[in-house]
Amino acid sequence: MMKIGTHFAYWGNTWNVNYVELCHRAKKCGLDVLEVGAGDLVNMSDAELEELRVTAKDLGLQISANLGPPKDKDICSADPTVHAAGVEFLCAILDQMVKIDCPILIGACYNHWPYDFVDTDKEALLARAVEGMKIVGDHADKLGLTIALEILNRFESCMINTLDEGIAFCERVGKKSVKLLLDTFHMNIEEVEDIPSVLRRGGDWVAHVHVGEANRMLPGTGHMPWDEIGQALRDINYDGKVVMEPFLLVGGEVGPAIKVWRDLSGGADADKMDEMMTNAVNFLRSKLNA
Ligand SMILES: [Mn+2]
């Protein structure tokens, strides 16, 4: 059974949030998964991590950890200090994930995000990232965790923009734990094939799925082919997490990072935001588990 989740930043426009509160809110909306910021885990005390673990467990909620690495901890960097710091950071996150029973690290862990495009020497960037990810992948293998590398569109990365590039990267890394994340928003921009075909071809490489409409609004509010997407995921026997990334709010830190320049929430207050999320969960569940 596929599990339905949301990125935590649906509810606000700052990266700094109280995950324990958001666990309760996610549960209220009928979600199975809360996707938290992986970078936050290294700044949380063991007591805070334990509170999050227990809260999620008691609510029957699963947690996934979403990372956009900072520029000074980046495994594609030509600076050996930054590269090493990136490897160390990713391994430290994996260690923290174990403490909250979080099985999967997701995101474009192969470069910093948002990427600044100062260095676009793609082959050299990829070669350094592969070497770094081999070490991180070994650590994840040892801990029994999964890393789902996110394939991003051209405006967010110059390294991995398509499924084929993602598979090639994972094959070079060659670790059991290192797989892919496919996101309807990015696929809609970059892939030649229709989205269901890309998912089918992704097959066993697909370890995590992000969903949203073409403008990242909630599933069911735009023109994505949800019946066919659900069918494609069933065809590959996908039983992982399907996590929405609905970024609707302008301003704060999240708005500019995601390039949200108009209110996509329709002026929704907190109750309306929860109602819209609940509707999207029900919509998605009907499409995925048809
Ligand atoms: Mn995504």
Side-chain angles (χ1 to χ4, degrees), residues 155-184:
F155 302 108
E156 298 188 40
S157 175
C158 59
M159 291 170 64
I160 301 177
N161 297 143
T162 65
L163 171 64
D164 289 336
E165 290 183 322
I167 292 173
F169 186 89
C170 288
E171 285 179 342
R172 286 172 71 179
V173 172
K175 302 296 172 189
K176 180 172 170 277
S177 55
V178 180
K179 295 190 166 174
L180 294 171
L181 155 57
L182 290 176
D183 181 327
T184 58

PDB file of all heavy atoms in Angstrom, residues 155-184:
ATOM      1  N   PHE A 155      16.531  24.271 -14.083  1.00  0.00           N
ATOM      2  CA  PHE A 155      16.642  25.543 -13.380  1.00  0.00           C
ATOM      3  C   PHE A 155      17.142  25.354 -11.946  1.00  0.00           C
ATOM      4  O   PHE A 155      17.412  26.307 -11.240  1.00  0.00           O
ATOM      5  CB  PHE A 155      15.297  26.284 -13.388  1.00  0.00           C
ATOM      6  CG  PHE A 155      14.786  26.548 -14.780  1.00  0.00           C
ATOM      7  CD1 PHE A 155      13.702  25.834 -15.282  1.00  0.00           C
ATOM      8  CD2 PHE A 155      15.413  27.467 -15.601  1.00  0.00           C
ATOM      9  CE1 PHE A 155      13.243  26.056 -16.564  1.00  0.00           C
ATOM     10  CE2 PHE A 155      14.957  27.699 -16.888  1.00  0.00           C
ATOM     11  CZ  PHE A 155      13.869  26.987 -17.379  1.00  0.00           C
ATOM     12  N   GLU A 156      17.215  24.089 -11.490  1.00  0.00           N
ATOM     13  CA  GLU A 156      17.636  23.811 -10.118  1.00  0.00           C
ATOM     14  C   GLU A 156      18.939  23.030 -10.025  1.00  0.00           C
ATOM     15  O   GLU A 156      19.545  22.978  -8.956  1.00  0.00           O
ATOM     16  CB  GLU A 156      16.514  23.076  -9.377  1.00  0.00           C
ATOM     17  CG  GLU A 156      15.254  23.925  -9.274  1.00  0.00           C
ATOM     18  CD  GLU A 156      14.193  23.308  -8.390  1.00  0.00           C
ATOM     19  OE1 GLU A 156      14.531  22.743  -7.347  1.00  0.00           O
ATOM     20  OE2 GLU A 156      13.008  23.384  -8.771  1.00  0.00           O
ATOM     21  N   SER A 157      19.342  22.376 -11.130  1.00  0.00           N
ATOM     22  CA  SER A 157      20.616  21.647 -11.126  1.00  0.00           C
ATOM     23  C   SER A 157      21.094  21.456 -12.556  1.00  0.00           C
ATOM     24  O   SER A 157      20.278  21.372 -13.484  1.00  0.00           O
ATOM     25  CB  SER A 157      20.454  20.285 -10.458  1.00  0.00           C
ATOM     26  OG  SER A 157      21.670  19.547 -10.562  1.00  0.00           O
ATOM     27  N   CYS A 158      22.395  21.370 -12.739  1.00  0.00           N
ATOM     28  CA  CYS A 158      22.935  21.059 -14.074  1.00  0.00           C
ATOM     29  C   CYS A 158      23.458  19.625 -14.124  1.00  0.00           C
ATOM     30  O   CYS A 158      24.039  19.206 -15.103  1.00  0.00           O
ATOM     31  CB  CYS A 158      24.049  22.033 -14.436  1.00  0.00           C
ATOM     32  SG  CYS A 158      25.432  22.018 -13.287  1.00  0.00           S
ATOM     33  N   MET A 159      23.228  18.850 -13.048  1.00  0.00           N
ATOM     34  CA  MET A 159      23.870  17.539 -12.968  1.00  0.00           C
ATOM     35  C   MET A 159      22.970  16.385 -13.381  1.00  0.00           C
ATOM     36  O   MET A 159      23.362  15.543 -14.187  1.00  0.00           O
ATOM     37  CB  MET A 159      24.414  17.316 -11.554  1.00  0.00           C
ATOM     38  CG  MET A 159      25.600  18.231 -11.241  1.00  0.00           C
ATOM     39  SD  MET A 159      26.085  18.194  -9.515  1.00  0.00           S
ATOM     40  CE  MET A 159      26.613  16.493  -9.308  1.00  0.00           C
ATOM     41  N   ILE A 160      21.793  16.291 -12.790  1.00  0.00           N
ATOM     42  CA  ILE A 160      20.889  15.164 -13.059  1.00  0.00           C
ATOM     43  C   ILE A 160      19.497  15.731 -13.336  1.00  0.00           C
ATOM     44  O   ILE A 160      18.787  16.133 -12.416  1.00  0.00           O
ATOM     45  CB  ILE A 160      20.835  14.189 -11.858  1.00  0.00           C
ATOM     46  CG1 ILE A 160      22.242  13.646 -11.540  1.00  0.00           C
ATOM     47  CG2 ILE A 160      19.874  13.045 -12.153  1.00  0.00           C
ATOM     48  CD1 ILE A 160      22.298  12.730 -10.331  1.00  0.00           C
ATOM     49  N   ASN A 161      19.115  15.780 -14.616  1.00  0.00           N
ATOM     50  CA  ASN A 161      17.831  16.364 -15.000  1.00  0.00           C
ATOM     51  C   ASN A 161      16.807  15.346 -15.500  1.00  0.00           C
ATOM     52  O   ASN A 161      15.632  15.678 -15.644  1.00  0.00           O
ATOM     53  CB  ASN A 161      18.024  17.419 -16.104  1.00  0.00           C
ATOM     54  CG  ASN A 161      18.866  18.605 -15.668  1.00  0.00           C
ATOM     55  OD1 ASN A 161      19.649  19.127 -16.459  1.00  0.00           O
ATOM     56  ND2 ASN A 161      18.726  19.038 -14.434  1.00  0.00           N
ATOM     57  N   THR A 162      17.277  14.128 -15.839  1.00  0.00           N
ATOM     58  CA  THR A 162      16.346  13.139 -16.404  1.00  0.00           C
ATOM     59  C   THR A 162      16.537  11.782 -15.723  1.00  0.00           C
ATOM     60  O   THR A 162      17.565  11.534 -15.075  1.00  0.00           O
ATOM     61  CB  THR A 162      16.606  12.924 -17.915  1.00  0.00           C
ATOM     62  OG1 THR A 162      17.916  12.351 -18.070  1.00  0.00           O
ATOM     63  CG2 THR A 162      16.514  14.228 -18.690  1.00  0.00           C
ATOM     64  N   LEU A 163      15.564  10.913 -15.931  1.00  0.00           N
ATOM     65  CA  LEU A 163      15.659   9.557 -15.388  1.00  0.00           C
ATOM     66  C   LEU A 163      16.937   8.871 -15.860  1.00  0.00           C
ATOM     67  O   LEU A 163      17.640   8.238 -15.061  1.00  0.00           O
ATOM     68  CB  LEU A 163      14.438   8.738 -15.820  1.00  0.00           C
ATOM     69  CG  LEU A 163      14.499   7.239 -15.497  1.00  0.00           C
ATOM     70  CD1 LEU A 163      14.529   6.994 -13.993  1.00  0.00           C
ATOM     71  CD2 LEU A 163      13.332   6.500 -16.134  1.00  0.00           C
ATOM     72  N   ASP A 164      17.253   8.993 -17.145  1.00  0.00           N
ATOM     73  CA  ASP A 164      18.449   8.318 -17.666  1.00  0.00           C
ATOM     74  C   ASP A 164      19.712   8.805 -16.969  1.00  0.00           C
ATOM     75  O   ASP A 164      20.600   8.013 -16.650  1.00  0.00           O
ATOM     76  CB  ASP A 164      18.562   8.540 -19.176  1.00  0.00           C
ATOM     77  CG  ASP A 164      17.483   7.765 -19.939  1.00  0.00           C
ATOM     78  OD1 ASP A 164      16.989   6.762 -19.387  1.00  0.00           O
ATOM     79  OD2 ASP A 164      17.133   8.169 -21.055  1.00  0.00           O
ATOM     80  N   GLU A 165      19.793  10.119 -16.741  1.00  0.00           N
ATOM     81  CA  GLU A 165      20.965  10.655 -16.039  1.00  0.00           C
ATOM     82  C   GLU A 165      20.996  10.166 -14.592  1.00  0.00           C
ATOM     83  O   GLU A 165      22.064   9.917 -14.032  1.00  0.00           O
ATOM     84  CB  GLU A 165      20.962  12.183 -16.086  1.00  0.00           C
ATOM     85  CG  GLU A 165      21.253  12.728 -17.477  1.00  0.00           C
ATOM     86  CD  GLU A 165      21.334  14.237 -17.527  1.00  0.00           C
ATOM     87  OE1 GLU A 165      20.547  14.916 -16.818  1.00  0.00           O
ATOM     88  OE2 GLU A 165      22.176  14.767 -18.281  1.00  0.00           O
ATOM     89  N   GLY A 166      19.818  10.024 -14.007  1.00  0.00           N
ATOM     90  CA  GLY A 166      19.733   9.530 -12.626  1.00  0.00           C
ATOM     91  C   GLY A 166      20.201   8.090 -12.512  1.00  0.00           C
ATOM     92  O   GLY A 166      20.967   7.726 -11.619  1.00  0.00           O
ATOM     93  N   ILE A 167      19.740   7.251 -13.448  1.00  0.00           N
ATOM     94  CA  ILE A 167      20.141   5.840 -13.435  1.00  0.00           C
ATOM     95  C   ILE A 167      21.647   5.718 -13.643  1.00  0.00           C
ATOM     96  O   ILE A 167      22.332   4.953 -12.950  1.00  0.00           O
ATOM     97  CB  ILE A 167      19.368   5.037 -14.503  1.00  0.00           C
ATOM     98  CG1 ILE A 167      17.884   4.946 -14.131  1.00  0.00           C
ATOM     99  CG2 ILE A 167      19.961   3.633 -14.656  1.00  0.00           C
ATOM    100  CD1 ILE A 167      16.993   4.330 -15.202  1.00  0.00           C
ATOM    101  N   ALA A 168      22.173   6.511 -14.594  1.00  0.00           N
ATOM    102  CA  ALA A 168      23.620   6.460 -14.876  1.00  0.00           C
ATOM    103  C   ALA A 168      24.412   6.826 -13.616  1.00  0.00           C
ATOM    104  O   ALA A 168      25.430   6.191 -13.306  1.00  0.00           O
ATOM    105  CB  ALA A 168      23.962   7.414 -16.019  1.00  0.00           C
ATOM    106  N   PHE A 169      23.950   7.825 -12.887  1.00  0.00           N
ATOM    107  CA  PHE A 169      24.639   8.239 -11.664  1.00  0.00           C
ATOM    108  C   PHE A 169      24.601   7.118 -10.622  1.00  0.00           C
ATOM    109  O   PHE A 169      25.631   6.757 -10.041  1.00  0.00           O
ATOM    110  CB  PHE A 169      23.994   9.518 -11.101  1.00  0.00           C
ATOM    111  CG  PHE A 169      24.711  10.098  -9.919  1.00  0.00           C
ATOM    112  CD1 PHE A 169      25.732  11.012 -10.100  1.00  0.00           C
ATOM    113  CD2 PHE A 169      24.374   9.735  -8.614  1.00  0.00           C
ATOM    114  CE1 PHE A 169      26.417  11.558  -9.012  1.00  0.00           C
ATOM    115  CE2 PHE A 169      25.046  10.265  -7.523  1.00  0.00           C
ATOM    116  CZ  PHE A 169      26.070  11.181  -7.722  1.00  0.00           C
ATOM    117  N   CYS A 170      23.420   6.547 -10.413  1.00  0.00           N
ATOM    118  CA  CYS A 170      23.283   5.464  -9.418  1.00  0.00           C
ATOM    119  C   CYS A 170      24.146   4.258  -9.791  1.00  0.00           C
ATOM    120  O   CYS A 170      24.724   3.613  -8.914  1.00  0.00           O
ATOM    121  CB  CYS A 170      21.827   5.039  -9.289  1.00  0.00           C
ATOM    122  SG  CYS A 170      20.793   6.237  -8.441  1.00  0.00           S
ATOM    123  N   GLU A 171      24.218   3.953 -11.079  1.00  0.00           N
ATOM    124  CA  GLU A 171      25.045   2.819 -11.505  1.00  0.00           C
ATOM    125  C   GLU A 171      26.521   3.081 -11.238  1.00  0.00           C
ATOM    126  O   GLU A 171      27.264   2.173 -10.861  1.00  0.00           O
ATOM    127  CB  GLU A 171      24.784   2.511 -12.988  1.00  0.00           C
ATOM    128  CG  GLU A 171      23.436   1.815 -13.170  1.00  0.00           C
ATOM    129  CD  GLU A 171      23.097   1.508 -14.627  1.00  0.00           C
ATOM    130  OE1 GLU A 171      23.706   2.105 -15.536  1.00  0.00           O
ATOM    131  OE2 GLU A 171      22.202   0.669 -14.852  1.00  0.00           O
ATOM    132  N   ARG A 172      26.947   4.331 -11.430  1.00  0.00           N
ATOM    133  CA  ARG A 172      28.348   4.660 -11.131  1.00  0.00           C
ATOM    134  C   ARG A 172      28.623   4.545  -9.633  1.00  0.00           C
ATOM    135  O   ARG A 172      29.707   4.113  -9.226  1.00  0.00           O
ATOM    136  CB  ARG A 172      28.674   6.087 -11.607  1.00  0.00           C
ATOM    137  CG  ARG A 172      28.818   6.201 -13.105  1.00  0.00           C
ATOM    138  CD  ARG A 172      28.945   7.641 -13.550  1.00  0.00           C
ATOM    139  NE  ARG A 172      30.218   8.249 -13.199  1.00  0.00           N
ATOM    140  CZ  ARG A 172      30.567   9.498 -13.497  1.00  0.00           C
ATOM    141  NH1 ARG A 172      29.714  10.261 -14.161  1.00  0.00           N
ATOM    142  NH2 ARG A 172      31.736   9.981 -13.139  1.00  0.00           N
ATOM    143  N   VAL A 173      27.647   4.953  -8.811  1.00  0.00           N
ATOM    144  CA  VAL A 173      27.819   4.856  -7.355  1.00  0.00           C
ATOM    145  C   VAL A 173      27.825   3.380  -6.939  1.00  0.00           C
ATOM    146  O   VAL A 173      28.665   2.948  -6.153  1.00  0.00           O
ATOM    147  CB  VAL A 173      26.714   5.635  -6.610  1.00  0.00           C
ATOM    148  CG1 VAL A 173      26.776   5.375  -5.108  1.00  0.00           C
ATOM    149  CG2 VAL A 173      26.840   7.138  -6.895  1.00  0.00           C
ATOM    150  N   GLY A 174      26.865   2.622  -7.464  1.00  0.00           N
ATOM    151  CA  GLY A 174      26.862   1.176  -7.255  1.00  0.00           C
ATOM    152  C   GLY A 174      26.640   0.716  -5.825  1.00  0.00           C
ATOM    153  O   GLY A 174      27.259  -0.254  -5.383  1.00  0.00           O
ATOM    154  N   LYS A 175      25.786   1.401  -5.105  1.00  0.00           N
ATOM    155  CA  LYS A 175      25.463   0.986  -3.731  1.00  0.00           C
ATOM    156  C   LYS A 175      23.981   0.620  -3.654  1.00  0.00           C
ATOM    157  O   LYS A 175      23.132   1.285  -4.245  1.00  0.00           O
ATOM    158  CB  LYS A 175      25.760   2.122  -2.737  1.00  0.00           C
ATOM    159  CG  LYS A 175      27.197   2.614  -2.749  1.00  0.00           C
ATOM    160  CD  LYS A 175      28.174   1.540  -2.305  1.00  0.00           C
ATOM    161  CE  LYS A 175      29.612   2.004  -2.510  1.00  0.00           C
ATOM    162  NZ  LYS A 175      30.595   0.942  -2.296  1.00  0.00           N
ATOM    163  N   LYS A 176      23.702  -0.415  -2.880  1.00  0.00           N
ATOM    164  CA  LYS A 176      22.336  -0.917  -2.735  1.00  0.00           C
ATOM    165  C   LYS A 176      21.384   0.182  -2.260  1.00  0.00           C
ATOM    166  O   LYS A 176      20.232   0.256  -2.668  1.00  0.00           O
ATOM    167  CB  LYS A 176      22.368  -2.080  -1.732  1.00  0.00           C
ATOM    168  CG  LYS A 176      21.039  -2.731  -1.437  1.00  0.00           C
ATOM    169  CD  LYS A 176      21.243  -3.998  -0.591  1.00  0.00           C
ATOM    170  CE  LYS A 176      19.933  -4.547  -0.075  1.00  0.00           C
ATOM    171  NZ  LYS A 176      19.446  -3.892   1.142  1.00  0.00           N
ATOM    172  N   SER A 177      21.884   1.051  -1.371  1.00  0.00           N
ATOM    173  CA  SER A 177      21.031   2.054  -0.730  1.00  0.00           C
ATOM    174  C   SER A 177      20.725   3.250  -1.629  1.00  0.00           C
ATOM    175  O   SER A 177      19.818   4.022  -1.335  1.00  0.00           O
ATOM    176  CB  SER A 177      21.725   2.583   0.528  1.00  0.00           C
ATOM    177  OG  SER A 177      23.019   3.071   0.205  1.00  0.00           O
ATOM    178  N   VAL A 178      21.465   3.437  -2.710  1.00  0.00           N
ATOM    179  CA  VAL A 178      21.360   4.684  -3.482  1.00  0.00           C
ATOM    180  C   VAL A 178      20.448   4.498  -4.697  1.00  0.00           C
ATOM    181  O   VAL A 178      20.800   3.815  -5.663  1.00  0.00           O
ATOM    182  CB  VAL A 178      22.754   5.193  -3.912  1.00  0.00           C
ATOM    183  CG1 VAL A 178      22.631   6.475  -4.717  1.00  0.00           C
ATOM    184  CG2 VAL A 178      23.621   5.422  -2.672  1.00  0.00           C
ATOM    185  N   LYS A 179      19.265   5.109  -4.591  1.00  0.00           N
ATOM    186  CA  LYS A 179      18.251   4.988  -5.637  1.00  0.00           C
ATOM    187  C   LYS A 179      17.743   6.366  -6.037  1.00  0.00           C
ATOM    188  O   LYS A 179      18.414   7.367  -5.791  1.00  0.00           O
ATOM    189  CB  LYS A 179      17.134   4.069  -5.136  1.00  0.00           C
ATOM    190  CG  LYS A 179      17.650   2.648  -4.910  1.00  0.00           C
ATOM    191  CD  LYS A 179      16.528   1.681  -4.650  1.00  0.00           C
ATOM    192  CE  LYS A 179      17.057   0.254  -4.782  1.00  0.00           C
ATOM    193  NZ  LYS A 179      16.040  -0.722  -4.405  1.00  0.00           N
ATOM    194  N   LEU A 180      16.558   6.414  -6.623  1.00  0.00           N
ATOM    195  CA  LEU A 180      16.083   7.676  -7.200  1.00  0.00           C
ATOM    196  C   LEU A 180      14.738   8.127  -6.660  1.00  0.00           C
ATOM    197  O   LEU A 180      13.915   7.325  -6.225  1.00  0.00           O
ATOM    198  CB  LEU A 180      15.976   7.533  -8.722  1.00  0.00           C
ATOM    199  CG  LEU A 180      17.297   7.328  -9.468  1.00  0.00           C
ATOM    200  CD1 LEU A 180      17.017   6.987 -10.926  1.00  0.00           C
ATOM    201  CD2 LEU A 180      18.202   8.557  -9.352  1.00  0.00           C
ATOM    202  N   LEU A 181      14.560   9.420  -6.734  1.00  0.00           N
ATOM    203  CA  LEU A 181      13.279  10.069  -6.452  1.00  0.00           C
ATOM    204  C   LEU A 181      12.794  10.708  -7.745  1.00  0.00           C
ATOM    205  O   LEU A 181      13.508  11.513  -8.358  1.00  0.00           O
ATOM    206  CB  LEU A 181      13.473  11.140  -5.370  1.00  0.00           C
ATOM    207  CG  LEU A 181      12.496  12.313  -5.307  1.00  0.00           C
ATOM    208  CD1 LEU A 181      11.057  11.855  -5.159  1.00  0.00           C
ATOM    209  CD2 LEU A 181      12.863  13.224  -4.159  1.00  0.00           C
ATOM    210  N   LEU A 182      11.608  10.340  -8.169  1.00  0.00           N
ATOM    211  CA  LEU A 182      10.987  10.973  -9.330  1.00  0.00           C
ATOM    212  C   LEU A 182       9.886  11.919  -8.862  1.00  0.00           C
ATOM    213  O   LEU A 182       9.088  11.565  -7.998  1.00  0.00           O
ATOM    214  CB  LEU A 182      10.423   9.915 -10.284  1.00  0.00           C
ATOM    215  CG  LEU A 182      11.466   9.083 -11.033  1.00  0.00           C
ATOM    216  CD1 LEU A 182      10.796   7.997 -11.864  1.00  0.00           C
ATOM    217  CD2 LEU A 182      12.317   9.976 -11.926  1.00  0.00           C
ATOM    218  N   ASP A 183       9.872  13.118  -9.431  1.00  0.00           N
ATOM    219  CA  ASP A 183       8.952  14.184  -9.020  1.00  0.00           C
ATOM    220  C   ASP A 183       8.178  14.651 -10.255  1.00  0.00           C
ATOM    221  O   ASP A 183       8.786  15.035 -11.264  1.00  0.00           O
ATOM    222  CB  ASP A 183       9.793  15.327  -8.418  1.00  0.00           C
ATOM    223  CG  ASP A 183       8.968  16.505  -7.920  1.00  0.00           C
ATOM    224  OD1 ASP A 183       7.912  16.789  -8.526  1.00  0.00           O
ATOM    225  OD2 ASP A 183       9.387  17.162  -6.953  1.00  0.00           O
ATOM    226  N   THR A 184       6.849  14.612 -10.171  1.00  0.00           N
ATOM    227  CA  THR A 184       6.031  14.975 -11.340  1.00  0.00           C
ATOM    228  C   THR A 184       6.342  16.392 -11.839  1.00  0.00           C
ATOM    229  O   THR A 184       6.306  16.653 -13.043  1.00  0.00           O
ATOM    230  CB  THR A 184       4.523  14.877 -11.036  1.00  0.00           C
ATOM    231  OG1 THR A 184       4.200  15.736  -9.934  1.00  0.00           O
ATOM    232  CG2 THR A 184       4.118  13.452 -10.702  1.00  0.00           C
TER     233      THR A 184
END
